[in-house]
Amino acid sequence: MPFNRSLTFPIALALLLSGAVPRQSFALDPNRTLTQYVHRIWGQDEGLIQPTIYSILQTSNGFLWLGTQDRLIRFDGIRFHEFSEFNDSQFEHSLIRSLFEDRDGNLWIASLGNGVARLAPDGSVTRFTTRQGLPNDEVFCIVSDAQDHIWFCTNGGLARWDARDGFRTFTTADGLPSNQTHSFCESKDGTQWVTAFDAPLSIGRNGHFQPFHAQSGPPLPRAISALQCAEDNSVWAGSDNGLFHIENGAVRQFTSRDGLLDDSVFALAAGPHGSIWIGTRSGINRYRPIDGSRGEFSTYSTRDGLSHSSVLALYVDREGTLWAGTKNGLDQFTDGNVTPYTTHEGMPGNDAGPVIEDSAGRLWVGTQDCGLSEFDGHRFHTLTTRNGLVSNRILSLEVDRRGDLWAGGEGGLNRLRDGRVISTFTRRNGLPGDVQSLFVDKTGQLWAGTDEGLRVFNGVRFERPNLPQASKVTDVLAIAGTQHVQLFVSADPGGLYVLKDGVFRPASITGVPHSVSSFYIDQVRHIAWFGTLGSGLLRWQNGALTHIHTKDGLYDNRIYSILKDDSGNFWLASSKGIFRVSEKDLEDFSAGRIRTVTSIPFTTGQLRFECQSDVQPAAWRTHDGRLWFSTTSGLVVVDPRHLGRTTIPPPVQITATFLNGQPKNLNGLDLHGPFQKNLEIRYAGLSFISPEKVTFRYMLEGYDKSWVEAGTRREAFFTNLPPGHFHFKVQARNADGIPSTRNAGLDFVIEPLIYQRSWFWVLVAGCLALLIAAGYRLRINRLQSRFDLVLAERGRIARELHDTLLQGLSGVTMQLQALWTRLPLSRDREALADIIEDAGRCSTEARQSLWGLRVMDASPLGFPASLAKIAREATGGTATSLVLDIDRVSHGQFGEIEFQLLRIAQEAITNVVRHAAADTLTVSLKATGQGFVLSIADDGDGFDVDRDLFGHFGLVGMRERAAEIGATLSVSSTRGVGSRVTVSLAAPTATAAKRNLPSAFVHLQK
């Protein structure tokens, strides 16, 4: 969160927070003035939607709620959220006058004109108006009593509400002087105090009221604008006539004459140790009692950086932060680790000079134009030229062995004893120019560094030291020394000089720049640390020099002073402010064990201040361990031993969720729709002390295996989450590393899409398998079709060859045999026998070739089914009835046998259908122990076997086929009775297996 650019330095000094800004108390330190607190402003430039704030409340979940002029706003330390953005718009354009949280965590919201609303922890809203029993819709306050009743100040009376009985209204009939009630509070003893716009203060118990009458003190005004019951049973009341304190019936009045910024009081809030915070028309006051009768006011106004003079609301949160709502923003006040002292605390001027503690424990601080001041812990006592100072511009301070204070400045030097100037030294006393540095060496001699060279005090006056090389020293920046080295002198130009054993010479240290501005000498380890004006920090030991620059982790390269605390830390004053570096880090870096050092700056944000340069010493450690730094805008003190620590764990809350960039209700997170891939979860760690330094870690259980360190990032992004049950949890750590005690969590379920369900891929695999099978089957069918075409063509060629070539060749052969039998023995007969033999061999070879063509034409149906198919196809469309008596036999390993048998059967059946004129055709296939018998019989015309068989190529072919497979073919026929063709095949030639199935007799009557 950016800081308000209008803040002045006293506020900026209060922003000196360490990277681990610790605190111990949970209330602002009452010993500090308001200008010494850390002050921060949130306005419209910082995201505050409506800057006029009338009410402030921190709820138990850690959020800060702001009731503004026209809306309700929730604040998490970084972001402002308008109430209507995430719930209900009923409070838009409504002035939110009061906020209250009950013990059940419900937030009650009072408005002027829209009644009251109750916001439940689950986000639901309940309205209460005159229709629900509220006496009037203009509600000015909401307060609870000891019995957890909730009281409402309205323009129609005082209303009390509880969950069982609802509203009960108290009016003038119950003793109230007016129904236009404005404020209400209940003190510890049960006394109830009520104010109204047009009537005096009333008190009562259990709803019975009467006017309050003071036993002593000034009369109370009729119109009281603010009311606050204190822990000690006293009551504070604010009005246009100032502040009133009522205790044991006595009234005490405070006005601007007593220290109030303004007599018009708008808001009150209880502070620690009986103090009271007061918001007025002109700024903020704090009244702190000192004893029973005295107190003191501290103020903070627009001149100090307040966002607006009119303070309308005050609230102290659980971390002790004071919040102020004004007409122009939200102001925050917290304790810092540093305490600034400026003109508000009595400094004569904010442009501080050198600072030192004398032997009596008194702190002295010089200024650049307002003289020299002594600080006694409470007040500054200032000396100027009117008190004998040679100049009001103080550049250097030193304390000698006698305890006298030496103050060098513009044009000379003063010696002080017991707070008074006892002598003055100028050019007449041997001091040329301005005295920029002073040092008392181990012998007790006082050395003065001026802009015209080095001088030493001889007890009466200052003179140039009688040392070789001393005349070369012109502009002396700083002087230091040890028990072994009398002087280290830094001059510009001229570099670094050393006075040791009476010899003054340039330091034989290679690499030291000319602009050494400060020294820190470790007397025990004999290490010298040099601060430079632009070259960082130098470490020198035994002639070895180490440079530490900003590139090595140093916060700034311009070092004005070096101090060391009891914990082994170096504190450095620089042009960017104060920062701390561990001595161990510096030593490890010098030894090469680490490559960078860690600097902890005590400035924050864009507000930076500059420590004072060109003064000696620019910082000082007092006997109590506190560190004092001179700055261009005041004096700053740090107590390293009492750096506070914020021990309150920060609550952590999930503030919003977005799905694909669209906001989703936290109580109804639905992540099962399509394309819902991008999830954003926002969260907040509700520590308002350095909220920008709150860090986070989160884990999405069910997805992340370990915590994700998010740093200061307040969003978690998830993309393309798989289906499942998830639990998001987040933990916050405040600026001091204290973790939240409870993690914020969010449960949600991502339902799988149809393609993410387990059965989907099984179904896809099944469908894919079916597609593959169907494709494979289709390919097989295509191949089978093509193969069938090939087989059909082969069969056609085989038939053509059988019916033409082979039959013709057989006929020719038979005729040649007949001619051979008629020829007498001669050479011609022998030649004819050779021809007949060649023709038979050719016929055999051709038949074997035909077998090769026909065997591939075997039916895939099996032999019995193929036989039945041939018979049905032959008799189909004829008047011949078919009777099948077929056993299941197989010759699968002898395809040529089945083929020849089928062709025999086909030839016989075809002859019956074409020539027999039979009424019934009977096809029989019977398995026997020795083989099987194929029989084709008909009841047709029959024929003369001995006469008609000769020259019938079909019957001849059948005999030849039977002979080829080793079967016996017999043909019997009787004219007018029918015929029978029988083929018998022995078991050694064929495999016949009876399946024990009944014979199939199929009678087809045509």
Side-chain angles (χ1 to χ4, degrees):
M1 181 66 63
F3 290 82
N4 188 285
R5 289 181 288 273
S6 66
L7 296 183
T8 57
F9 177 77
I11 307 157
L13 282 179
L15 287 168
L16 296 171
L17 300 177
S18 152
V21 181
R23 282 167 186 79
Q24 289 183 347
S25 63
F26 304 150
L28 295 178
D29 184 354
N31 295 314
R32 294 185 178 184
T33 63
L34 268 65
T35 54
Q36 291 179 316
Y37 294 137
V38 176
H39 177 221
R40 196 171 184 178
I41 293 178
W42 282 270
Q44 288 182 311
D45 290 342
E46 289 74 38
L48 183 57
I49 306 165
Q50 167 52 254
T52 303
I53 300 170
Y54 285 90
S55 54
I56 306 171
L57 177 72
Q58 185 178 37
T59 48
S60 56
N61 59 12
F63 287 111
L64 198 72
W65 296 82
L66 309 175
T68 73
Q69 183 171 319
D70 60 7
R71 67 197 68 203
L72 179 65
I73 296 172
R74 190 187 72 187
F75 183 43
D76 62 16
I78 299 294
R79 297 189 183 99
F80 293 91
H81 298 272
E82 185 178 357
F83 182 68
S84 60
E85 287 183 3
F86 52 86
N87 205 306
D88 197 298
S89 60
Q90 68 183 31
F91 294 106
E92 193 171 357
H93 308 303
S94 296
L95 192 154
I96 309 302
R97 191 63 184 82
S98 183
L99 299 169
F100 171 75
E101 184 184 28
D102 63 24
R103 64 179 180 179
D104 295 324
N106 297 306
L107 176 64
W108 294 78
I109 306 136
S111 69
L112 297 185
N114 281 328
V116 176
R118 183 180 63 193
L119 175 62
D122 63 0
S124 61
V125 178
T126 305
R127 293 285 305 275
F128 297 93
T129 63
T130 53
R131 295 182 179 180
Q132 286 77 33
L134 195 66
N136 191 278
D137 286 343
E138 292 191 350
V139 182
F140 294 90
C141 80
I142 308 178
V143 186
S144 69
D145 60 18
Q147 287 75 39
D148 291 324
H149 296 133
I150 301 177
W151 296 80
F152 303 88
C153 306
T154 78
N155 263 347
L158 186 65
R160 186 181 70 189
W161 185 91
D162 62 41
R164 291 178 301 177
D165 301 329
F167 287 99
R168 178 186 174 185
T169 302
F170 300 89
T171 63
T172 53
D174 301 290
L176 289 175
S178 171
N179 288 337
Q180 294 184 332
T181 55
H182 181 273
S183 302
F184 176 95
C185 74
E186 184 179 80
S187 57
K188 294 294 185 180
D189 61 3
T191 302
Q192 296 168 337
W193 302 78
V194 184
T195 68
F197 285 103
D198 56 353
L201 180 66
S202 299
I203 61 172
R205 286 180 181 271
N206 301 320
H208 301 286
F209 299 93
Q210 62 183 9
F212 169 76
H213 298 288
Q215 297 178 9
S216 63
L220 292 174
R222 290 181 62 84
I224 294 178
S225 55
L227 200 63
Q228 178 67 47
C229 290
E231 292 290 330
D232 58 0
N233 285 323
S234 66
V235 176
W236 294 88
S239 71
D240 285 339
N241 297 327
L243 178 68
F244 295 86
H245 187 215
I246 306 170
E247 186 174 18
N248 297 325
V251 177
R252 184 180 178 186
Q253 184 179 10
F254 300 92
T255 65
S256 57
R257 293 189 299 270
D258 303 297
L260 272 180
L261 282 170
D262 194 283
D263 286 344
S264 293
V265 177
F266 297 148
L268 297 172
H273 310 292
S275 61
I276 187 76
W277 295 98
I278 308 135
T280 73
R281 192 190 302 274
S282 299
I284 300 175
N285 279 102
R286 182 196 63 199
Y287 177 78
R288 182 170 69 99
I290 298 177
D291 53 36
S293 60
R294 293 187 309 114
E296 64 178 7
F297 282 95
S298 181
T299 64
Y300 203 94
S301 65
T302 53
R303 292 176 299 178
D304 306 310
L306 197 65
S307 62
H308 193 277
S309 59
S310 294
V311 179
L312 307 176
L314 293 170
Y315 182 77
V316 179
D317 69 13
R318 67 191 191 94
E319 292 178 297
T321 293
L322 173 68
W323 298 91
T326 73
K327 283 189 175 181
N328 198 36
L330 179 67
D331 293 70
Q332 180 191 23
F333 296 86
T334 60
D335 275 326
N337 276 328
V338 298
T339 303
Y341 289 92
T342 65
T343 54
H344 292 286
E345 288 73 42
M347 277 274 290
N350 286 336
D351 196 3
V355 57
I356 197 170
E357 183 184 34
D358 65 18
S359 55
R362 293 171 296 191
L363 186 73
W364 295 87
V365 55
T367 67
Q368 294 293 293
D369 53 10
C370 297
L372 177 66
S373 294
E374 176 197 353
F375 182 54
D376 62 8
H378 298 283
R379 292 178 176 83
F380 289 89
H381 306 279
T382 304
L383 302 174
T384 65
T385 54
R386 290 180 295 181
N387 304 103
L389 291 183
V390 68
S391 172
N392 285 334
R393 184 184 180 202
I394 309 301
L395 301 175
S396 58
L397 294 173
E398 178 64 302
V399 178
D400 63 20
R401 291 186 175 183
R402 185 173 179 176
D404 290 344
L405 175 67
W406 296 80
E410 188 176 37
L413 177 66
N414 288 105
R415 186 176 188 177
L416 291 86
R417 185 175 296 164
D418 297 327
R420 294 183 299 109
V421 177
I422 61 172
S423 57
T424 300
F425 301 88
T426 62
R427 285 186 180 272
R428 293 190 303 270
N429 308 100
L431 277 179
D434 300 336
V435 180
Q436 300 176 154
S437 56
L438 293 168
F439 181 70
V440 175
D441 67 18
K442 62 181 181 179
T443 66
Q445 275 192 309
L446 176 65
W447 297 79
T450 73
D451 57 355
E452 296 184 18
L454 184 65
R455 298 295 185 267
V456 62
F457 186 54
N458 62 11
V460 177
R461 58 181 289 112
F462 286 87
E463 59 185 19
R464 186 187 299 273
N466 186 20
L467 297 171
Q469 307 286 338
S471 61
K472 296 182 180 180
V473 178
T474 54
D475 190 5
V476 178
L477 301 178
I479 309 174
T482 69
Q483 294 298 323
H484 302 282
V485 178
Q486 188 175 356
L487 284 185
F488 283 101
V489 178
S490 172
D492 187 21
L496 186 64
Y497 293 84
V498 175
L499 175 58
K500 183 177 181 182
D501 300 329
V503 179
F504 187 78
R505 62 181 181 273
S508 58
I509 306 175
T510 304
V512 175
H514 294 173
S515 53
V516 173
S517 59
S518 56
F519 300 92
Y520 178 82
I521 311 299
D522 188 333
Q523 303 278 7
V524 177
R525 302 176 62 195
H526 307 296
I527 300 174
W529 297 88
F530 305 146
T532 70
L533 297 179
S535 298
L537 185 66
L538 309 180
R539 178 189 183 273
W540 176 76
Q541 185 180 29
N542 298 327
L545 189 69
T546 304
H547 291 253
I548 303 102
H549 301 90
T550 53
K551 66 181 179 62
D552 305 311
L554 207 65
Y555 183 64
D556 191 8
N557 277 335
R558 295 181 63 86
I559 309 300
Y560 303 146
S561 187
I562 307 170
L563 301 176
K564 186 179 178 182
D565 63 19
D566 293 329
S567 300
N569 296 311
F570 280 111
W571 295 74
L572 294 92
S574 76
S575 64
K576 294 181 179 179
I578 304 167
F579 66 97
R580 187 181 70 196
V581 184
S582 166
E583 182 182 21
K584 183 178 184 303
D585 271 10
L586 295 173
E587 294 291 347
D588 288 344
F589 178 84
S590 300
R593 290 187 289 269
I594 60 175
R595 301 185 66 179
T596 60
V597 299
T598 300
S599 299
I600 300 176
F602 274 63
T603 59
T604 181
Q606 63 188 7
L607 286 175
R608 297 174 179 173
F609 70 94
E610 182 177 353
C611 291
Q612 193 65 271
S613 63
D614 301 326
V615 298
Q616 291 294 322
W620 193 263
R621 174 178 170 172
T622 53
H623 68 280
D624 58 5
R626 291 189 294 173
L627 310 178
W628 298 79
F629 296 88
S630 174
T631 77
T632 55
S633 299
L635 186 65
V636 171
V637 59
V638 179
D639 190 349
R641 299 173 303 175
H642 298 92
L643 293 177
R645 184 174 175 83
T646 306
T647 58
I648 301 179
V652 58
Q653 299 291 338
I654 295 175
T655 59
T657 55
F658 294 85
L659 192 59
N660 287 347
Q662 299 299 317
K664 299 290 290 187
N665 192 322
L666 291 177
N667 297 310
L669 194 57
D670 180 14
L671 301 178
H672 63 268
F675 309 112
Q676 296 183 351
K677 298 181 177 180
N678 302 315
L679 174 64
E680 176 186 353
I681 302 176
R682 293 183 180 177
Y683 44 81
L686 301 172
S687 173
F688 293 94
I689 299 175
S690 299
E692 68 281 351
K693 295 181 181 178
V694 175
T695 58
F696 302 88
R697 64 175 186 167
Y698 64 79
M699 177 189 292
L700 184 61
E701 293 180 348
Y703 184 76
D704 293 325
K705 296 182 179 179
S706 60
W707 287 96
V708 177
E709 297 294 337
T712 58
R713 179 165 49 86
R714 295 181 173 229
E715 304 92 6
F717 300 93
F718 301 96
T719 303
N720 295 325
L721 287 175
H725 294 258
F726 298 96
H727 175 72
F728 176 82
K729 61 182 180 180
V730 59
Q731 183 185 74
R733 293 185 292 267
N734 65 15
D736 297 313
I738 304 299
S740 51
T741 55
R742 297 179 61 185
N743 299 330
L746 176 66
D747 292 295
F748 59 92
V749 178
I750 297 181
E751 295 291 343
L753 300 176
I754 186 171
Y755 64 83
Q756 293 175 316
R757 299 183 183 274
S758 57
W759 54 263
F760 176 80
W761 293 109
V762 175
L763 178 63
V764 168
C767 293
L768 185 61
L770 290 176
L771 288 174
I772 294 174
Y776 177 76
R777 184 64 181 173
L778 179 62
R779 176 172 176 77
I780 292 299
N781 289 338
R782 288 178 179 177
L783 293 175
Q784 185 67 46
S785 299
R786 293 169 62 184
F787 192 59
D788 289 345
L789 292 175
V790 173
L791 292 180
E793 182 64 16
R794 289 162 64 105
R796 185 188 66 79
I797 293 173
R799 288 192 299 274
E800 292 293 332
L801 292 175
H802 172 270
D803 293 340
T804 56
L805 177 63
L806 290 181
Q807 294 288 10
L809 184 59
S810 297
V812 171
T813 302
M814 292 175 65
Q815 292 178 8
L816 291 175
Q817 288 175 344
L819 178 59
W820 177 81
T821 56
R822 292 195 297 271
L823 289 177
L825 293 175
S826 65
R827 287 186 174 182
D828 292 337
R829 185 174 180 177
E830 293 176 359
L832 184 59
D834 292 338
I835 293 173
I836 293 172
E837 184 179 357
D838 291 339
R841 185 170 60 253
C842 289
S843 178
T844 301
E845 292 176 354
R847 192 173 301 280
Q848 290 176 347
S849 297
L850 287 179
W851 287 346
L853 290 173
R854 300 303 295 269
V855 74
M856 297 299 296
D857 196 27
S859 173
L861 300 177
F863 178 66
S866 298
L867 180 63
K869 180 180 179 182
I870 289 173
R872 291 191 186 97
E873 289 178 352
T875 58
T878 67
T880 303
S881 297
L882 177 65
V883 177
L884 299 175
D885 184 11
I886 301 174
D887 288 345
R888 293 193 175 184
V889 297
S890 174
H891 296 84
Q893 66 272 44
F894 302 112
E896 67 277 10
I897 295 177
E898 291 187 354
F899 176 78
Q900 297 294 2
L901 289 176
L902 287 175
R903 293 300 171 258
I904 293 172
Q906 184 178 25
E907 183 69 25
I909 293 171
T910 300
N911 289 335
V912 171
V913 172
R914 289 180 180 178
H915 308 294
D919 294 327
T920 302
L921 172 65
T922 301
V923 179
S924 173
L925 179 64
K926 293 294 182 180
T928 64
Q930 293 76 29
F932 67 88
V933 177
L934 172 64
S935 173
I936 295 95
D938 65 82
D939 58 356
D941 296 339
F943 61 91
D944 187 345
V945 176
D946 294 332
R947 182 174 59 85
D948 294 340
L949 187 60
F950 179 77
H952 195 289
F953 294 131
L955 292 175
V956 171
M958 287 190 291
R959 290 186 182 277
E960 291 177 350
R961 290 180 186 277
E964 290 293 339
I965 61 176
T968 303
L969 176 71
S970 62
V971 179
S972 61
S973 179
T974 303
R975 289 190 177 274
V977 177
S979 58
R980 178 183 297 274
V981 178
T982 304
V983 180
S984 301
L985 185 63
T989 310
T991 300
K994 190 163 185 176
R995 307 289 183 175
N996 297 320
L997 296 174
S999 299
F1001 294 93
V1002 181
H1003 180 74
L1004 300 176
Q1005 184 67 40
K1006 305 295 181 182

